[in-house]
Amino acid sequence: MTLPLSFATVRQLSGLIRSKEVSPLELATFFLSRLETIGPHYNAIVTLTKELALEQATTLEQEAKRGEYRSILHGIPYGAKDLLATAGGIPTTWGASPLRNQMFDYDATIIKKLQAHGATLAAKLAMVELAGGFGYRNPEASFTGPGITPWGDIAAWSGGSSSGSGSAVAAGLVPFAIGSETWGSILTPANNCGITGLRPTFGRISRHGAMTLSWSLDKIGPLCHTADDCGVLLEAMSGYDSLDPSTTKRGFRYQPYRGDHRFRIGFIRDIASNCENEVKSNFEEALSSLMTVADIEEITVPDLPYEAATRTILFAEMGSALEDFINSGGARELTAREDRYGGFAPSMVLAKDYIKALRIRDIIANEADQILSKYDALVAPTRPTVAAKVEGEFTSIIRGKASDVMGAIGNISGLPAISVPNGFGKYGLPTGIQFMGRCYNENEILGIAHAYQSNTGWHQMYPPNGNPSPE
């Protein structure tokens, strides 16, 4: 299947630049036009960084004419979630109306890294206000409007809190985007938008210059069209940063899967039991497909308070990280009504409860590591449902029970995970499957995801609404 330029992968676009079939400046102009004309339909854009992108692309084009290429990302446009600091008079709003004009005089480390590798920043992308930390209950929780997925027969949410990043990649507005996850904010947009999203191991990528929601849970990662592109991006973005003491000195080099071994995959018993019927069916079909490259076993996990412990840590750290904003009264100007008071309750988490949650975290992390020592990954549906409708509050209870055990285990333990599309559910909306691995074992989950995508075609499908005009 031949994809249009707007849905080409990073690797494909890089090849076109190297063969001089397209130039960095042409590519920047092309995607800037799509961002400007199509982006508003999905409420995906906060700030179009047109002047900066064209300036960077001009320099990169001159380098390319001399046969100089910084990396595979040379001349590739991208969008960044608007919690990453940008200098040069470009606002960093954190998705919050009272911070519309917030400016920084420096670039986040990840912005600098991507520039050094030759990627061009085309837009700051929309997000749920304050990364969803104040307990929003509907897609409207952003001053740019609800993020909309380009898929489906209804207006549906692109997923929080990296809503703009998910929409922009899925609609072909940028080849890749940067998102962040504290608990679900990369994997959920990947699921809802039918794209690939990678949550790296905690500490792989510097968070210097990013809004802090939770010091020990926040992670930055890419949203792309393929697992292969995610591997390329992770190598470019990872590395120790003295400005972020949580970063690891353990290096990462992407090793694309060559089909040279079988994988070992486990799935938690009844992990799909509370999913919508179509989500469960697509998950079971995906497992059947994976049997060609993997041995798959059902497992059980200890009965521990995974979600309660993760939530306690998140609330306690958020209450501290955003204390100044809460005390300033800025919450009164937030878009979602529940966010105007939702920041106060987390501030009341007791120290003894936080410490207890940290101790439970050690137990969970050790248990997860022991289980994953026997497998290359654990697999599960990315989300139990397809994307929620844009109107109204989220439906959080599926068949009487809401749970995200994989998300809680993964985020409290700092484990890497990747979500890839695996079909469609009701209203023609995408579903996803996730692979979670051991700390620092991103190559294993990237390999499984790449093998799955090599045997299926879901990642090669693009939404009809994502390309409304001929190229």
Side-chain angles (χ1 to χ4, degrees), residues 80-100:
K81 184 175 181 178
D82 202 27
L83 52 57
L84 294 169
T86 43
I90 300 170
T92 302
T93 70
W94 298 355
S97 182
L99 302 176
R100 284 173 185 258

Side-chain angles (χ1 to χ4, degrees), residues 109 113 181 199-208 214-221 234 237-242 244-252 410-411 413-416 439-440 442:
T109 295
K113 280 202 166 193
E181 173 158 326
R199 178 188 78 217
T201 301
F202 178 82
R204 272 290 193 203
I205 296 175
S206 172
R207 300 168 300 170
H208 172 68
S214 170
W215 288 282
S216 67
L217 294 171
D218 293 346
K219 297 158 290 289
I220 292 172
L234 181 59
M237 297 192 299
S238 63
Y240 176 72
D241 179 12
S242 61
D244 179 357
S246 72
T247 51
T248 178
K249 294 184 178 180
R250 190 167 178 166
F252 175 79
N411 282 288
S413 305
L415 303 176
C439 280
Y440 306 116
E442 283 91 349

Side-chain angles (χ1 to χ4, degrees), residues 169-225:
V169 174
L173 310 183
V174 286
F176 74 91
I178 306 305
S180 70
E181 173 158 326
T182 306
W183 186 352
S185 294
I186 289 175
L187 299 195
T188 298
N191 178 84
N192 290 8
C193 295
I195 58 174
T196 303
L198 174 67
R199 178 188 78 217
T201 301
F202 178 82
R204 272 290 193 203
I205 296 175
S206 172
R207 300 168 300 170
H208 172 68
M211 183 203 112
T212 298
L213 181 62
S214 170
W215 288 282
S216 67
L217 294 171
D218 293 346
K219 297 158 290 289
I220 292 172
L223 292 111
C224 307
H225 292 297

Side-chain angles (χ1 to χ4, degrees), residues 101 299 444 448:
N101 300 314
I299 67 167
E444 281 74 8
I448 297 170

Side-chain angles (χ1 to χ4, degrees), residues 7 34 38-39 41-42 148-155 167 170-173 427-429 462-469:
F7 296 94
R34 290 184 64 81
I38 303 173
H41 180 73
Y42 303 109
I148 300 173
T149 175
W151 287 101
D153 302 326
I154 60 169
S167 298
L173 310 183
Y427 309 121
L429 292 166
Y462 57 92
N465 294 333
N467 195 39
S469 59

